[in-house]
Amino acid sequence: MTVSVAFSQPSDITGLDAVALSAAIRARQVSCVEVLQAYLAQIDRLNPVVNAIVAEQDRDLLRAQAGELDAQLARGAWLGPLHGFPQAPKDIAPVRGMVTTKGSPIYAGQVTQTDAIVYERMRASGALFIGRTNSPEFGLGGHTYNPVYGITRNAFDPARSAGGSSGGAGAAVALRMLPVADGSDMMGSLRTPAAFNNVYGLRTTPGCVPHGPTDEVFFQQFSVSGPMARNVPDLALLLAVQAGFDARVPLTRRHDDPSAFVTALERDCAGLRIGWLGDLGGHLATEPGVLDVCAAALKHFEAIGCRVEAATPAFDLPRLWQAWLDLRSFTFAGTNAGLYHDPRTRGLLKPEAVWEIERGLRLSGQDIYQAAVARSAWYAALRQLFEQFDFLVLPAAQVFPFEVEQHWPARVGGRDMDTYHRWMEAVVPATMAGLPALAAPAGFGAGGLPAGIQIIGPAQGDLDVLQIGLAYDRASGYGKRASPLLQPGGQP
């Protein structure tokens, strides 16, 4: 029988960390039905303000599914750490029996028949899929809006952007409408929303988590799946479910025990060397105040015994950006050129998608080869830096959350942005090197808006960045600052 515990208000449940919630469900201190009801109440209260969760599922069916999860526990069948967790898979990759629009009117109403591997694993661990989290069209751009579901708003200021492309996930986690959330990251799609909503997001090493459907193009090396959470232990809880080898994706990594992401988080950080990359020697345009907030957060690494020094990679950064543009456009065009060539769908593509496809179609094989050469040289340059430093740190976002009416910041720090994503250039270094990067809260600017840092680890150092991230989280306490909307009587 269920052990009685005093959860008198829905907030008593939604306020629990994911690790504590998972333990309470497994111990039958709270039922899956009660957990579902608490999160649905939170969604009813706050989702109309931010529009983070879309394509909500039939609630009678959800309650029946939660009841079956309770019955399984009563029979002694615990499915895993997500047993009874309300989840809302990002509306980019397919989920069996759910609408997958990719934020595009081309796919509005499309019900997919298979699970992406990461969702297959979350479902097997007992997750209850209550809807989808919103994403920009095709995941393009760092601001979550699309013609299917509209704009997702920031958890700390609904007049501002939640970031993207995992913007729905970031806002939902920050506002406790989900205990944890999945996301994907090619150009900061986990990191920008984490910075904008004062939560944690992990860009995993390619291959750490099987990404995409099982027919994912073998060439794909940039977009990864990963977790988002309010703290590092919760992040690790979801990652332990997501990670591990799958023979259908042969470049995925074997982990002796993915639960090590949870059990091996403790680490003595004394003596670790941190390289502060800042704005890459003036290369990155930054909004006034962002660098100051991020630099001030470095003292928390020193508080846990780390040594922090300025670092500058020995590399031609414009060459890196050009290589990124070519590889990104080439990849996107390869996947979506058919939509561009079809007159029935071309007019439904947003301008940024058309721009990427047209660029990609103009590239030659030699262009792509030279971009790959530049990428390899960039990794070599960072590998040299990692001989001096254990981790590298730079801002997770070059701007504070901007007004939702903007499609993207056209001018940053007095500089005109020459592409729709130049303002996110800070996330390119980790992506192009194939390195893990943890986005962590860095505090708040003078206007009360969140900022974040990236902690970049060495090759395949996913556990390493979680370990130092946990120590940083405890020292800084930034992640504990909750949105004003969560306060009693909180209003947008």
Side-chain angles (χ1 to χ4, degrees):
M1 59 183 293
T2 301
V3 178
S4 176
V5 176
F7 292 109
S8 59
Q9 300 292 329
S11 59
D12 294 338
I13 294 174
T14 60
L16 289 173
D17 291 342
V19 171
L21 177 64
S22 181
I25 292 171
R26 187 177 189 182
R28 300 179 65 201
Q29 295 174 336
V30 61
S31 72
C32 298
V33 170
E34 290 171 322
V35 170
L36 173 66
Q37 292 290 75
Y39 276 96
L40 291 180
Q42 190 80 334
I43 290 167
D44 286 343
R45 184 168 82 87
L46 293 174
N47 200 51
V49 178
V50 295
N51 189 40
I53 297 175
V54 298
E56 291 186 48
Q57 299 297 286
D58 179 83
R59 293 194 172 184
D60 288 336
L61 179 60
L62 291 174
R63 292 184 188 98
Q65 292 171 344
E68 174 54 30
L69 287 167
D70 280 325
Q72 288 175 306
L73 280 176
R75 297 193 296 268
W78 181 70
L79 298 181
L82 304 186
H83 194 117
F85 268 39
Q87 291 290 272
K90 182 179 176 181
D91 185 26
I92 286 290
V95 179
R96 174 168 48 84
M98 297 181 73
V99 172
T100 305
T101 75
K102 303 181 183 181
S104 170
I106 296 171
Y107 299 117
Q110 170 187 254
V111 177
T112 43
Q113 302 305 314
T114 58
D115 282 331
I117 296 171
V118 68
Y119 300 145
E120 183 181 279
R121 291 181 172 184
M122 292 168 65
R123 194 192 295 273
S125 184
L128 182 60
F129 293 159
I130 63 170
R132 308 299 301 261
T133 47
N134 203 20
S135 172
E137 185 178 333
F138 297 108
L140 293 178
H143 179 24
T144 298
Y145 69 94
N146 62 64
V148 181
Y149 296 119
I151 298 171
T152 294
R153 297 170 179 271
N154 190 278
F156 281 77
D157 182 351
R160 303 280 172 161
S161 169
S165 63
S166 307
V173 167
L175 292 177
R176 300 176 183 173
M177 295 189 288
L178 296 173
V180 290
D182 73 277
S184 57
D185 186 303
M186 183 180 193
M187 193 178 182
S189 291
L190 276 159
R191 290 168 283 169
T192 303
F196 276 19
N197 293 281
N198 200 51
V199 296
Y200 285 83
L202 177 64
R203 176 185 166 81
T204 53
T205 299
C208 175
V209 176
H211 180 67
T214 55
D215 60 352
E216 185 76 37
V217 176
F218 207 30
F219 177 85
Q220 201 291 117
Q221 298 176 358
F222 296 109
S223 189
V224 300
S225 296
M228 188 174 286
R230 292 188 293 274
N231 58 56
V232 173
D234 289 357
L235 202 71
L237 178 83
L238 180 53
L239 180 60
V241 172
Q242 296 174 324
F245 177 75
D246 189 296
R248 294 168 293 182
V249 187
L251 295 184
T252 48
R253 289 164 46 206
R254 295 187 185 275
H255 299 278
D256 292 336
D257 180 10
S259 68
F261 288 120
V262 175
T263 60
L265 283 178
E266 299 290 340
R267 176 178 183 174
D268 182 359
C269 296
L272 291 177
R273 301 159 300 170
I274 306 295
W276 167 237
L277 299 180
D279 61 359
L280 296 175
H283 176 75
L284 298 176
T286 57
E287 181 178 344
V290 168
L291 274 180
D292 294 335
V293 172
C294 293
L298 298 175
K299 65 179 180 288
H300 301 295
F301 291 106
E302 295 172 338
I304 60 175
C306 299
R307 300 199 311 270
V308 181
E309 299 176 22
T312 304
F315 199 80
D316 178 4
L317 295 173
R319 180 190 179 201
L320 177 67
W321 176 249
Q322 185 61 49
W324 167 248
L325 288 179
D326 290 349
L327 291 170
R328 177 180 169 90
S329 294
F330 170 73
T331 303
F332 188 81
T335 305
N336 297 289
L339 301 176
Y340 176 82
H341 291 307
D342 189 336
R344 295 171 299 177
T345 53
R346 182 187 293 197
L348 298 175
L349 296 170
K350 73 177 185 178
E352 293 84 353
V354 172
W355 183 82
E356 293 280 12
I357 292 169
E358 289 180 345
R359 279 197 86 258
L361 293 175
R362 289 194 300 268
L363 294 166
S364 69
Q366 188 59 215
D367 292 331
I368 300 306
Y369 179 77
Q370 291 303 323
V373 169
R375 183 187 183 201
S376 299
W378 169 245
Y379 173 73
L382 285 193
R383 190 162 171 266
Q384 280 190 328
L385 267 187
F386 276 110
E387 293 178 0
Q388 299 174 249
F389 300 102
D390 298 293
F391 299 93
L392 302 174
V393 175
L394 77 166
Q398 295 159 236
V399 298
F400 293 109
F402 51 88
E403 295 180 356
V404 293
E405 290 78 11
Q406 288 183 266
H407 291 299
W408 44 273
R411 189 171 176 82
V412 176
R415 300 189 215 171
D416 292 331
M417 300 291 97
D418 55 355
T419 72
Y420 75 97
H421 48 16
R422 174 72 91 159
W423 63 275
M424 297 187 291
E425 191 173 357
V427 300
V428 170
T431 296
M432 283 289 274
L435 300 179
L438 175 66
F444 292 75
L449 295 172
I453 56 170
Q454 297 174 78
I455 305 172
I456 300 174
Q460 300 191 24
D462 301 80
L463 177 58
D464 298 294
V465 296
L466 290 177
Q467 289 172 332
I468 193 169
L470 175 62
Y472 167 86
D473 182 28
R474 289 172 173 168
S476 72
Y478 292 137
K480 295 184 181 299
R481 179 165 169 178
S483 163
L485 297 178
L486 291 173
Q487 306 305 316
Q491 297 295 323

